[in-house]
Amino acid sequence: SATFGADVMMGAGNQTGRFLGPLIVLSAGSASIPIGIGALLGALAFYAWKKPIAGGAIIGAMVFGALFPVALGG
């Protein structure tokens, strides 16, 4: 279902989210600079809104990944 990802992010918003957020930002940054920036901005926005920063990092990385595609493997 379409809401499954949101349910997972809401559930991960407890202790796990505190460690998962920065980890997602770091791994996104290793993928590409724009994706890392998107993940960081998303995490900061979600932190400001008192939402799980892991979810913000994922959404930010996806948005910037769509705007700045990465050519993988070639």
Side-chain angles (χ1 to χ4, degrees):
S1 71
T3 59
F4 178 71
D7 293 341
V8 170
M9 286 193 286
M10 296 307 280
N14 49 32
Q15 276 314 108
T16 314
R18 296 175 193 267
F19 301 103
L20 202 60
L23 193 65
I24 292 168
V25 172
L26 287 172
S27 60
S30 68
S32 84
I33 299 297
I35 292 175
I37 292 170
L40 182 62
L41 293 176
L44 289 172
F46 270 47
Y47 178 77
W49 294 327
K50 304 282 191 282
K51 299 271 188 283
I53 63 170
I58 292 168
I59 292 170
M62 290 192 313
V63 168
F64 274 63
L67 295 175
F68 303 98
V70 181
L72 295 176

